[in-house]
Amino acid sequence: MDRFVTGLEPGREGIDALIDAAQTLKAAPRPGGPGPLAGRSVAALFLNPSLRTRASLEAAVVQLGGHLIPLSSGSGIWSLEFRDGAVMDGGAEEHVEDAVGALCRYADALAVRAYPDLVDWQRDREDLAVRAVARYATVPVVNLESAMYHPCQGLADLMTWREVLGRDLRGRRLSLVWTWHPKALPMAVPDSVVLMASLAGMDVTVAHPDGYDLDAEVLATAERQAGEAGGRVRVTRDRDAALSGAEVVYARSWGGVPWYGKGNEEYRHKARLSHWRIDGMDMAKTADATLMHPLPVRRNVEVEDAVLRSPRSAVLRQAENRLHVQKALLARMLGG
Ligand code: CP
């Protein structure tokens, strides 16, 4: 496996093996010896801000004995053009083909975070930046969040579900509940949640208001995977029904395709949706559910403070598990 872009590349058994390896690494974070990445480098292109992804990736590479080369857009690297055949007479100084070609001569793996522009959904869903890096790279490539997928978050979430609910997740009830947020956020996290949970055979309910449908192709893949694994995927506008009986409440906001590129219009539309916020009364409707959110979270906007601080919150466990799953992934992709 030399590409980790959608998160599904390893297959069901491969993903299970990655989580097993991550659990072993979590139990013994620094086993001694030179480490599988000794003398090796990972170049990470951050085209957008990050706290957890940036820090957990660097910690993962260092704990495996390697070296991270972080390259952040807007702080020292050339702005990149991702379109094939572009006439580069605009702001971009360098084509991704040349940048990736050069980086592959220094680094043993590339990682890239490239958010969508949030202007044109059909263009964003092509994941131009991460696909271009994957196309031109001659070394393994890891997607650190694109328009469509946040696969490392998906792995960390799967690890967290297994820790909370047990290894066999078939039929366990996860509700992904849309939350109000002042900005339109990418769909990468909810996509990866439904893809990973369905792969594990969970009973997945996605609750959101009108206009916030997830990508049809992602949902179709999730439904097929759930069918194969003994689970199911449902979509509802009824958040109370989604909360009732849930064992995991996954709170997350995302933007609506009908308002794509029309932030002000969406903000006006969303004004009446601020009750889509997880609070203590919501959690009381569940089956003693665990609260999950990938962070960063807008406190008392998306989720109430008291819920985030309660023993039922697993948000920091999720954040920690990013480290362990990324170590397992890099060790596997680099042959450790
Ligand atoms: N969950 C997550 O990816 O966090 P960051 O955006 O801070 O990296």
Side-chain angles (χ1 to χ4, degrees):
M1 183 184 66
D2 67 354
R3 295 291 181 269
F4 192 68
V5 172
T6 67
L8 300 177
E9 291 88 348
R12 185 176 280 110
E13 285 175 13
I15 287 171
D16 274 344
L18 277 174
I19 304 298
D20 288 341
Q23 292 288 6
T24 302
L25 288 162
K26 188 172 184 174
R30 293 176 183 81
L37 265 61
R40 303 170 100 179
S41 298
V42 177
L45 271 170
F46 284 92
L47 306 181
N48 311 97
S50 160
L51 186 146
R52 278 140 293 271
T53 304
R54 167 78 174 70
S56 62
L57 185 70
E58 180 148 3
V61 172
V62 168
Q63 288 182 21
L64 293 173
H67 173 75
L68 187 79
I69 307 169
L71 301 162
S72 296
S73 152
S75 65
I77 64 164
W78 304 114
S79 52
L80 297 176
E81 171 63 62
F82 294 97
R83 295 169 300 158
D84 261 341
V87 177
M88 290 176 53
D89 57 358
E93 303 287 352
E94 177 162 30
H95 196 275
V96 64
E97 183 173 2
D98 304 320
V100 165
L103 288 173
C104 289
R105 303 205 170 205
Y106 318 136
D108 300 283
L110 300 187
V112 57
R113 164 168 283 204
Y115 271 11
D117 295 336
L118 295 165
V119 173
D120 178 340
W121 170 239
Q122 288 309 324
R123 193 180 64 192
D124 276 353
R125 74 180 299 287
E126 288 173 22
D127 263 347
L128 202 61
V130 70
R131 299 279 181 194
V133 173
R135 179 161 66 251
Y136 294 121
T138 53
V139 297
V141 173
V142 176
N143 177 3
L144 297 176
E145 189 174 353
S146 63
M148 293 291 283
Y149 309 105
H150 197 348
C152 294
Q153 185 66 54
L155 282 184
D157 292 341
L158 178 58
M159 181 173 179
T160 308
W161 299 327
R162 275 178 39 170
E163 287 177 345
V164 170
L165 298 173
R167 196 172 194 284
D168 184 359
L169 291 166
R170 285 174 298 176
R172 305 306 293 264
R173 293 191 57 184
L174 177 141
S175 290
L176 170 64
V177 182
W178 183 90
T179 53
W180 192 89
H181 191 290
K183 292 183 179 170
L185 301 185
M187 291 186 206
V189 169
D191 286 352
S192 289
V193 168
V194 296
L195 289 173
M196 283 296 171
S198 59
L199 195 72
M202 294 181 83
D203 181 341
V204 182
T205 302
V206 185
H208 59 74
D210 279 334
Y212 289 88
D213 301 79
L214 292 180
D215 184 71
E217 203 175 305
V218 168
L219 276 180
T221 302
E223 281 161 8
R224 176 180 51 74
Q225 291 187 154
E228 290 165 0
R232 65 176 171 175
V233 177
R234 286 173 290 184
V235 179
T236 179
R237 305 288 185 264
D238 185 343
R239 69 193 290 285
D240 278 353
L243 292 166
S244 173
E247 295 176 284
V248 174
V249 172
Y250 201 112
R252 179 64 177 174
S253 192
W254 61 91
V257 171
W259 303 280
Y260 219 75
K262 299 177 227 164
N264 290 341
E265 214 177 294
E266 179 166 14
Y267 190 83
R268 283 195 297 276
H269 167 81
K270 282 198 297 194
R272 60 188 172 78
L273 299 174
S274 59
H275 61 287
W276 284 75
R277 180 188 73 132
I278 300 296
D279 61 21
M281 287 194 297
D282 289 325
M283 294 302 287
K285 295 169 190 162
T286 69
D288 210 15
T290 297
L291 183 278
M292 293 178 64
H293 188 290
L295 305 181
V297 61
R298 297 255 184 166
R299 284 179 168 227
N300 302 313
V301 171
E302 292 180 85
V303 184
E304 194 180 56
D305 254 347
V307 176
L308 286 163
R309 289 202 183 111
S310 77
R312 286 158 73 177
S313 170
V315 298
L316 294 180
R317 186 193 282 243
Q318 286 174 266
E320 180 188 336
N321 286 342
R322 290 290 302 275
L323 169 66
H324 307 301
V325 296
Q326 286 159 192
K327 284 170 74 176
L329 182 69
L330 288 171
R332 162 140 182 220
M333 292 182 83
L334 293 174

